[in-house]
Tab-separated table of all heavy atoms in Angstrom:
chain	number	residue	atom	x	y	z
A	1081	VAL	N	-41.245	52.860	-36.364
A	1081	VAL	CA	-41.963	51.803	-35.654
A	1081	VAL	C	-41.007	50.749	-35.264
A	1081	VAL	O	-41.345	49.693	-34.534
A	1081	VAL	CB	-43.004	51.208	-36.523
A	1081	VAL	CG1	-44.145	52.193	-36.729
A	1081	VAL	CG2	-42.490	50.704	-37.861
A	1082	SER	N	-39.680	50.721	-35.677
A	1082	SER	CA	-38.729	49.780	-35.172
A	1082	SER	C	-38.054	50.243	-33.819
A	1082	SER	O	-37.261	49.532	-33.287
A	1082	SER	CB	-37.685	49.608	-36.226
A	1082	SER	OG	-36.854	50.768	-36.429
A	1083	ASP	N	-38.430	51.366	-33.368
A	1083	ASP	CA	-37.855	51.959	-32.160
A	1083	ASP	C	-38.940	52.568	-31.324
A	1083	ASP	O	-39.540	53.688	-31.621
A	1083	ASP	CB	-36.749	53.033	-32.546
A	1083	ASP	CG	-36.123	53.637	-31.304
A	1083	ASP	OD1	-36.458	53.261	-30.169
A	1083	ASP	OD2	-35.156	54.465	-31.423
A	1084	TRP	N	-39.330	51.920	-30.241
A	1084	TRP	CA	-40.433	52.351	-29.367
A	1084	TRP	C	-40.083	53.615	-28.608
A	1084	TRP	O	-40.987	54.206	-27.976
A	1084	TRP	CB	-40.821	51.273	-28.377
A	1084	TRP	CG	-41.442	50.014	-28.992
A	1084	TRP	CD1	-41.120	48.755	-28.677
A	1084	TRP	CD2	-42.385	49.932	-30.014
A	1084	TRP	NE1	-41.858	47.898	-29.437
A	1084	TRP	CE2	-42.654	48.604	-30.281
A	1084	TRP	CE3	-43.166	50.898	-30.705
A	1084	TRP	CZ2	-43.621	48.154	-31.206
A	1084	TRP	CZ3	-44.107	50.429	-31.670
A	1084	TRP	CH2	-44.310	49.091	-31.867
A	1085	ASP	N	-38.894	54.132	-28.704
A	1085	ASP	CA	-38.559	55.504	-28.078
A	1085	ASP	C	-38.723	56.625	-28.991
A	1085	ASP	O	-38.483	57.789	-28.631
A	1085	ASP	CB	-37.053	55.407	-27.676
A	1085	ASP	CG	-36.792	54.450	-26.527
A	1085	ASP	OD1	-37.699	54.312	-25.621
A	1085	ASP	OD2	-35.712	53.898	-26.456
A	1086	THR	N	-39.310	56.388	-30.194
A	1086	THR	CA	-39.579	57.477	-31.091
A	1086	THR	C	-41.019	57.918	-31.076
A	1086	THR	O	-41.411	58.571	-32.053
A	1086	THR	CB	-39.176	57.082	-32.590
A	1086	THR	OG1	-40.075	56.003	-33.031
A	1086	THR	CG2	-37.778	56.622	-32.580
A	1087	TRP	N	-41.712	57.761	-29.933
A	1087	TRP	CA	-43.035	58.274	-29.894
A	1087	TRP	C	-43.091	59.813	-29.934
A	1087	TRP	O	-42.158	60.455	-29.501
A	1087	TRP	CB	-43.736	57.766	-28.583
A	1087	TRP	CG	-42.982	58.030	-27.298
A	1087	TRP	CD1	-41.941	57.365	-26.784
A	1087	TRP	CD2	-43.124	59.182	-26.506
A	1087	TRP	NE1	-41.567	57.912	-25.629
A	1087	TRP	CE2	-42.223	59.120	-25.414
A	1087	TRP	CE3	-43.984	60.309	-26.484
A	1087	TRP	CZ2	-42.131	60.004	-24.338
A	1087	TRP	CZ3	-43.899	61.298	-25.503
A	1087	TRP	CH2	-42.962	61.040	-24.477
A	1088	LEU	N	-44.156	60.294	-30.575
A	1088	LEU	CA	-44.316	61.733	-30.842
A	1088	LEU	C	-44.938	62.473	-29.659
A	1088	LEU	O	-46.072	62.180	-29.319
A	1088	LEU	CB	-45.146	61.886	-32.154
A	1088	LEU	CG	-45.275	63.258	-32.704
A	1088	LEU	CD1	-43.924	63.824	-33.229
A	1088	LEU	CD2	-46.361	63.351	-33.729
A	1089	PRO	N	-44.233	63.361	-29.001
A	1089	PRO	CA	-44.859	64.112	-27.800
A	1089	PRO	C	-46.038	64.955	-28.301
A	1089	PRO	O	-46.076	65.463	-29.387
A	1089	PRO	CB	-43.660	64.991	-27.385
A	1089	PRO	CG	-42.451	64.326	-27.965
A	1089	PRO	CD	-42.854	63.757	-29.298
A	1090	LEU	N	-47.019	65.079	-27.452
A	1090	LEU	CA	-48.200	65.836	-27.714
A	1090	LEU	C	-47.911	67.372	-27.742
A	1090	LEU	O	-48.575	68.130	-28.377
A	1090	LEU	CB	-49.259	65.602	-26.657
A	1090	LEU	CG	-50.173	64.382	-26.944
A	1090	LEU	CD1	-51.116	64.221	-25.860
A	1090	LEU	CD2	-50.842	64.527	-28.294
A	1091	ASP	N	-46.835	67.742	-27.040
A	1091	ASP	CA	-46.469	69.181	-27.059
A	1091	ASP	C	-45.762	69.683	-28.322
A	1091	ASP	O	-45.359	70.809	-28.465
A	1091	ASP	CB	-45.621	69.557	-25.857
A	1091	ASP	CG	-44.332	68.752	-25.735
A	1091	ASP	OD1	-44.048	68.034	-26.710
A	1091	ASP	OD2	-43.655	68.846	-24.660
A	1092	LYS	N	-45.498	68.709	-29.273
A	1092	LYS	CA	-44.932	69.097	-30.559
A	1092	LYS	C	-46.033	69.603	-31.457
A	1092	LYS	O	-46.821	68.912	-31.973
A	1092	LYS	CB	-44.240	67.879	-31.197
A	1092	LYS	CG	-43.554	68.259	-32.545
A	1092	LYS	CD	-42.857	66.989	-33.138
A	1092	LYS	CE	-42.263	67.304	-34.432
A	1092	LYS	NZ	-41.245	68.343	-34.391
A	1093	ILE	N	-46.123	70.923	-31.561
A	1093	ILE	CA	-47.065	71.543	-32.405
A	1093	ILE	C	-46.448	72.043	-33.647
A	1093	ILE	O	-45.713	73.114	-33.634
A	1093	ILE	CB	-47.791	72.720	-31.710
A	1093	ILE	CG1	-48.407	72.213	-30.384
A	1093	ILE	CG2	-48.865	73.373	-32.530
A	1093	ILE	CD1	-49.470	71.210	-30.507
A	1094	ASP	N	-46.620	71.314	-34.688
A	1094	ASP	CA	-45.930	71.678	-35.940
A	1094	ASP	C	-46.753	71.358	-37.113
A	1094	ASP	O	-46.307	70.826	-38.222
A	1094	ASP	CB	-44.594	70.950	-36.043
A	1094	ASP	CG	-43.605	71.409	-37.095
A	1094	ASP	OD1	-43.805	72.576	-37.481
A	1094	ASP	OD2	-42.749	70.653	-37.573
A	1095	GLY	N	-48.070	71.669	-37.119
A	1095	GLY	CA	-48.956	71.423	-38.189
A	1095	GLY	C	-49.089	69.903	-38.465
A	1095	GLY	O	-49.502	69.215	-37.543
A	1096	LEU	N	-48.679	69.500	-39.649
A	1096	LEU	CA	-48.720	68.040	-39.968
A	1096	LEU	C	-47.338	67.525	-39.811
A	1096	LEU	O	-46.348	68.078	-40.345
A	1096	LEU	CB	-49.298	67.895	-41.389
A	1096	LEU	CG	-50.651	68.406	-41.721
A	1096	LEU	CD1	-51.048	67.954	-43.156
A	1096	LEU	CD2	-51.625	67.914	-40.711
A	1097	VAL	N	-47.254	66.346	-39.180
A	1097	VAL	CA	-46.032	65.628	-39.050
A	1097	VAL	C	-46.187	64.216	-39.620
A	1097	VAL	O	-47.203	63.554	-39.361
A	1097	VAL	CB	-45.649	65.505	-37.497
A	1097	VAL	CG1	-44.435	64.627	-37.309
A	1097	VAL	CG2	-45.378	66.896	-37.012
A	1098	LYS	N	-45.184	63.781	-40.363
A	1098	LYS	CA	-45.247	62.438	-40.981
A	1098	LYS	C	-44.682	61.442	-39.987
A	1098	LYS	O	-43.710	61.602	-39.250
A	1098	LYS	CB	-44.373	62.403	-42.204
A	1098	LYS	CG	-44.640	61.135	-43.052
A	1098	LYS	CD	-43.645	61.074	-44.253
A	1098	LYS	CE	-43.915	62.230	-45.261
A	1098	LYS	NZ	-43.135	62.143	-46.475
A	1099	VAL	N	-45.417	60.282	-39.825
A	1099	VAL	CA	-45.063	59.270	-38.892
A	1099	VAL	C	-45.140	57.906	-39.655
A	1099	VAL	O	-45.646	57.791	-40.745
A	1099	VAL	CB	-45.934	59.172	-37.700
A	1099	VAL	CG1	-45.811	60.384	-36.849
A	1099	VAL	CG2	-47.454	58.912	-38.100
A	1100	GLU	N	-44.632	56.863	-39.010
A	1100	GLU	CA	-44.678	55.511	-39.603
A	1100	GLU	C	-45.813	54.727	-38.998
A	1100	GLU	O	-46.373	53.869	-39.701
A	1100	GLU	CB	-43.320	54.708	-39.365
A	1100	GLU	CG	-42.158	55.239	-40.161
A	1100	GLU	CD	-40.989	54.281	-40.156
A	1100	GLU	OE1	-41.022	53.308	-39.428
A	1100	GLU	OE2	-40.020	54.620	-40.845
A	1101	GLY	N	-46.169	54.955	-37.769
A	1101	GLY	CA	-47.275	54.209	-37.155
A	1101	GLY	C	-48.011	55.083	-36.153
A	1101	GLY	O	-47.447	55.946	-35.444
A	1102	VAL	N	-49.323	54.779	-36.034
A	1102	VAL	CA	-50.150	55.478	-35.030
A	1102	VAL	C	-51.402	54.594	-34.809
A	1102	VAL	O	-51.787	53.918	-35.690
A	1102	VAL	CB	-50.526	56.887	-35.530
A	1102	VAL	CG1	-51.349	56.830	-36.835
A	1102	VAL	CG2	-51.288	57.666	-34.454
A	1103	GLY	N	-51.888	54.671	-33.591
A	1103	GLY	CA	-53.118	53.985	-33.300
A	1103	GLY	C	-54.359	54.559	-34.097
A	1103	GLY	O	-54.278	55.718	-34.550
A	1104	MET	N	-55.331	53.728	-34.219
A	1104	MET	CA	-56.485	54.063	-35.114
A	1104	MET	C	-57.700	54.636	-34.302
A	1104	MET	O	-58.804	54.676	-34.804
A	1104	MET	CB	-56.927	52.903	-35.934
A	1104	MET	CG	-55.945	52.427	-36.959
A	1104	MET	SD	-56.334	50.952	-37.888
A	1104	MET	CE	-57.810	51.580	-38.811
A	1105	GLY	N	-57.345	55.166	-33.113
A	1105	GLY	CA	-58.463	55.779	-32.338
A	1105	GLY	C	-59.144	56.895	-32.883
A	1105	GLY	O	-60.276	57.208	-32.517
A	1106	CYS	N	-58.382	57.649	-33.779
A	1106	CYS	CA	-58.956	58.865	-34.439
A	1106	CYS	C	-58.213	59.004	-35.759
A	1106	CYS	O	-57.221	59.640	-35.739
A	1106	CYS	CB	-58.899	60.034	-33.597
A	1106	CYS	SG	-59.629	61.544	-34.294
A	1107	MET	N	-58.620	58.347	-36.782
A	1107	MET	CA	-57.906	58.347	-38.083
A	1107	MET	C	-58.895	58.440	-39.243
A	1107	MET	O	-59.838	57.718	-39.315
A	1107	MET	CB	-57.133	57.022	-38.164
A	1107	MET	CG	-56.357	56.843	-39.535
A	1107	MET	SD	-55.518	55.265	-39.587
A	1107	MET	CE	-54.187	55.452	-38.318
A	1108	LEU	N	-58.534	59.319	-40.202
A	1108	LEU	CA	-59.310	59.541	-41.391
A	1108	LEU	C	-58.515	58.977	-42.562
A	1108	LEU	O	-57.309	59.201	-42.725
A	1108	LEU	CB	-59.559	61.024	-41.694
A	1108	LEU	CG	-60.392	61.340	-42.935
A	1108	LEU	CD1	-61.853	61.059	-42.602
A	1108	LEU	CD2	-60.118	62.765	-43.330
A	1109	MET	N	-59.205	58.145	-43.410
A	1109	MET	CA	-58.560	57.547	-44.533
A	1109	MET	C	-59.495	57.669	-45.758
A	1109	MET	O	-60.710	57.625	-45.588
A	1109	MET	CB	-58.218	56.007	-44.337
A	1109	MET	CG	-57.606	55.688	-43.020
A	1109	MET	SD	-57.459	53.965	-42.694
A	1109	MET	CE	-56.164	53.524	-43.920
A	1110	LYS	N	-58.849	57.861	-46.948
A	1110	LYS	CA	-59.676	57.717	-48.191
A	1110	LYS	C	-59.996	56.248	-48.363
A	1110	LYS	O	-59.110	55.360	-48.265
A	1110	LYS	CB	-58.887	58.228	-49.353
A	1110	LYS	CG	-58.727	59.754	-49.335
A	1110	LYS	CD	-58.024	60.295	-50.538
A	1110	LYS	CE	-57.956	61.826	-50.535
A	1110	LYS	NZ	-57.173	62.342	-51.650
A	1111	THR	N	-61.221	55.965	-48.643
A	1111	THR	CA	-61.657	54.578	-48.724
A	1111	THR	C	-60.962	53.838	-49.839
A	1111	THR	O	-60.710	52.591	-49.747
A	1111	THR	CB	-63.195	54.528	-48.933
A	1111	THR	OG1	-63.887	55.386	-48.005
A	1111	THR	CG2	-63.737	53.034	-48.799
A	1112	ASN	N	-60.575	54.507	-50.903
A	1112	ASN	CA	-59.962	53.848	-52.050
A	1112	ASN	C	-58.584	53.268	-51.782
A	1112	ASN	O	-58.039	52.470	-52.558
A	1112	ASN	CB	-59.896	54.779	-53.278
A	1112	ASN	CG	-59.063	55.966	-53.090
A	1112	ASN	OD1	-58.336	56.076	-52.151
A	1112	ASN	ND2	-59.189	56.967	-53.995
A	1113	VAL	N	-58.018	53.581	-50.609
A	1113	VAL	CA	-56.676	52.970	-50.259
A	1113	VAL	C	-56.798	51.479	-50.123
A	1113	VAL	O	-55.920	50.670	-50.338
A	1113	VAL	CB	-56.028	53.592	-49.056
A	1113	VAL	CG1	-55.839	55.057	-49.233
A	1113	VAL	CG2	-56.802	53.315	-47.765
A	1114	PHE	N	-58.093	50.968	-49.749
A	1114	PHE	CA	-58.220	49.571	-49.462
A	1114	PHE	C	-58.370	48.814	-50.791
A	1114	PHE	O	-58.203	47.599	-50.786
A	1114	PHE	CB	-59.545	49.367	-48.639
A	1114	PHE	CG	-59.278	49.797	-47.221
A	1114	PHE	CD1	-59.629	51.035	-46.775
A	1114	PHE	CD2	-58.779	48.858	-46.305
A	1114	PHE	CE1	-59.430	51.349	-45.395
A	1114	PHE	CE2	-58.590	49.174	-45.034
A	1114	PHE	CZ	-58.905	50.459	-44.543
A	1115	SER	N	-58.707	49.492	-51.883
A	1115	SER	CA	-58.724	48.756	-53.185
A	1115	SER	C	-57.349	48.464	-53.664
A	1115	SER	O	-57.151	47.600	-54.551
A	1115	SER	CB	-59.361	49.713	-54.247
A	1115	SER	OG	-58.568	50.911	-54.514
A	1116	LYS	N	-56.318	49.000	-53.116
A	1116	LYS	CA	-54.934	48.700	-53.476
A	1116	LYS	C	-54.382	47.476	-52.654
A	1116	LYS	O	-53.235	47.051	-52.957
A	1116	LYS	CB	-53.967	49.927	-53.264
A	1116	LYS	CG	-54.592	51.200	-53.775
A	1116	LYS	CD	-54.606	51.227	-55.318
A	1116	LYS	CE	-55.267	52.536	-55.834
A	1116	LYS	NZ	-54.639	53.749	-55.396
A	1117	LEU	N	-55.090	47.114	-51.604
A	1117	LEU	CA	-54.551	46.014	-50.715
A	1117	LEU	C	-55.197	44.706	-51.069
A	1117	LEU	O	-56.308	44.588	-51.551
A	1117	LEU	CB	-54.947	46.456	-49.258
A	1117	LEU	CG	-54.331	47.713	-48.660
A	1117	LEU	CD1	-54.961	48.012	-47.319
A	1117	LEU	CD2	-52.843	47.394	-48.512
A	1118	ILE	N	-54.424	43.615	-50.637
A	1118	ILE	CA	-54.924	42.274	-50.735
A	1118	ILE	C	-55.295	41.895	-49.368
A	1118	ILE	O	-54.665	42.151	-48.402
A	1118	ILE	CB	-53.809	41.372	-51.284
A	1118	ILE	CG1	-53.385	41.753	-52.691
A	1118	ILE	CG2	-54.218	39.958	-51.254
A	1118	ILE	CD1	-52.184	41.048	-53.203
A	1119	LYS	N	-56.459	41.209	-49.191
A	1119	LYS	CA	-56.924	40.736	-47.912
A	1119	LYS	C	-56.027	39.647	-47.457
A	1119	LYS	O	-55.467	38.860	-48.187
A	1119	LYS	CB	-58.344	40.197	-48.018
A	1119	LYS	CG	-59.395	41.370	-48.245
A	1119	LYS	CD	-60.771	40.743	-48.234
A	1119	LYS	CE	-61.833	41.821	-48.376
A	1119	LYS	NZ	-63.244	41.344	-48.258
A	1120	PRO	N	-55.847	39.540	-46.056
A	1120	PRO	CA	-56.546	40.347	-45.026
A	1120	PRO	C	-55.947	41.741	-44.885
A	1120	PRO	O	-54.762	41.919	-44.933
A	1120	PRO	CB	-56.362	39.503	-43.720
A	1120	PRO	CG	-55.036	38.872	-43.985
A	1120	PRO	CD	-54.940	38.588	-45.446
A	1121	TYR	N	-56.905	42.768	-44.689
A	1121	TYR	CA	-56.383	44.047	-44.481
A	1121	TYR	C	-55.786	44.243	-43.084
A	1121	TYR	O	-54.839	44.919	-42.894
A	1121	TYR	CB	-57.599	45.024	-44.552
A	1121	TYR	CG	-58.381	45.075	-45.834
A	1121	TYR	CD1	-59.717	45.211	-45.861
A	1121	TYR	CD2	-57.751	44.936	-47.074
A	1121	TYR	CE1	-60.515	45.233	-46.991
A	1121	TYR	CE2	-58.439	44.977	-48.235
A	1121	TYR	CZ	-59.862	45.122	-48.206
A	1121	TYR	OH	-60.541	45.068	-49.364
A	1122	PHE	N	-56.430	43.550	-42.122
A	1122	PHE	CA	-56.053	43.643	-40.694
A	1122	PHE	C	-55.490	42.351	-40.230
A	1122	PHE	O	-56.142	41.275	-40.381
A	1122	PHE	CB	-57.251	44.128	-39.947
A	1122	PHE	CG	-57.881	45.338	-40.427
A	1122	PHE	CD1	-59.074	45.271	-41.198
A	1122	PHE	CD2	-57.326	46.571	-40.255
A	1122	PHE	CE1	-59.712	46.373	-41.708
A	1122	PHE	CE2	-57.959	47.739	-40.745
A	1122	PHE	CZ	-59.147	47.602	-41.454
A	1123	GLU	N	-54.388	42.395	-39.462
A	1123	GLU	CA	-53.787	41.191	-38.928
A	1123	GLU	C	-52.812	41.556	-37.820
A	1123	GLU	O	-52.306	42.683	-37.833
A	1123	GLU	CB	-53.159	40.313	-39.941
A	1123	GLU	CG	-52.048	41.039	-40.757
A	1123	GLU	CD	-51.586	40.215	-41.956
A	1123	GLU	OE1	-51.473	38.976	-41.835
A	1123	GLU	OE2	-51.282	40.770	-43.015
A	1124	PHE	N	-52.551	40.670	-36.868
A	1124	PHE	CA	-51.529	40.807	-35.861
A	1124	PHE	C	-50.298	40.027	-36.324
A	1124	PHE	O	-50.469	39.006	-36.888
A	1124	PHE	CB	-52.003	40.271	-34.494
A	1124	PHE	CG	-53.243	40.883	-33.980
A	1124	PHE	CD1	-54.273	40.133	-33.446
A	1124	PHE	CD2	-53.435	42.258	-33.955
A	1124	PHE	CE1	-55.450	40.714	-32.999
A	1124	PHE	CE2	-54.526	42.890	-33.451
A	1124	PHE	CZ	-55.600	42.089	-33.016
A	1125	THR	N	-49.100	40.537	-36.008
A	1125	THR	CA	-47.854	39.831	-36.259
A	1125	THR	C	-46.951	39.891	-35.085
A	1125	THR	O	-46.941	40.964	-34.342
A	1125	THR	CB	-47.151	40.348	-37.517
A	1125	THR	OG1	-46.900	41.768	-37.350
A	1125	THR	CG2	-47.935	40.163	-38.800
A	1126	TYR	N	-46.195	38.868	-34.846
A	1126	TYR	CA	-45.346	38.747	-33.723
A	1126	TYR	C	-43.934	39.220	-34.082
A	1126	TYR	O	-43.395	38.892	-35.126
A	1126	TYR	CB	-45.294	37.299	-33.206
A	1126	TYR	CG	-44.487	37.167	-31.929
A	1126	TYR	CD1	-44.946	37.669	-30.687
A	1126	TYR	CD2	-43.264	36.510	-31.900
A	1126	TYR	CE1	-44.213	37.536	-29.571
A	1126	TYR	CE2	-42.528	36.291	-30.761
A	1126	TYR	CZ	-43.033	36.810	-29.547
A	1126	TYR	OH	-42.286	36.692	-28.401
């Protein structure tokens, strides 16, 4: 996420791939991950 040129191509078919950042347009999460966080969960930073 420190390099905007490292976006993952859609033609990369390799099962599961680990990334640092991705949009939340289609994302599954275990709900209990939020119990480990301190609010605010969501924020913008410059």
